[in-house]
Amino acid sequence: MSNAGAATGTFRTRVVVWTAVCAGLLLVLIANSHLVYMAIISQPECVAHVRQGEGGTGDGKFSAARSSCTPR
């Protein structure tokens, strides 16, 4: 009878471990899918920056390499 008890304990341990692993993977998938969703739907407005050709590098201001904002 001790073999049956040991087998039941081993089975329960495996179920608990696999449940924890699956729950962890599900949590990671949900978090990443939320980040991807937010990255796709967010359309931030253009931020103020120095445009190409304006300002010099001597004053510590830098311009965007290629602005996606409409030119003025």
Side-chain angles (χ1 to χ4, degrees), residues 17-58:
V17 168
W18 279 108
T19 302
V21 167
C22 291
L25 287 174
L26 184 63
L27 182 66
V28 168
L29 287 174
I30 289 171
N32 284 330
S33 65
H34 177 71
L35 290 174
V36 169
Y37 172 74
M38 293 306 295
I40 290 171
I41 67 163
S42 67
Q43 295 294 323
E45 297 297 323
C46 293
V47 296
H49 66 280
V50 177
R51 297 189 182 274
Q52 280 184 321
E54 294 179 359
T57 57

Side-chain angles (χ1 to χ4, degrees), residues 9-21:
T10 302
F11 177 74
R12 286 184 184 165
T13 303
R14 286 184 181 183
V15 168
V16 169
V17 168
W18 279 108
T19 302
V21 167

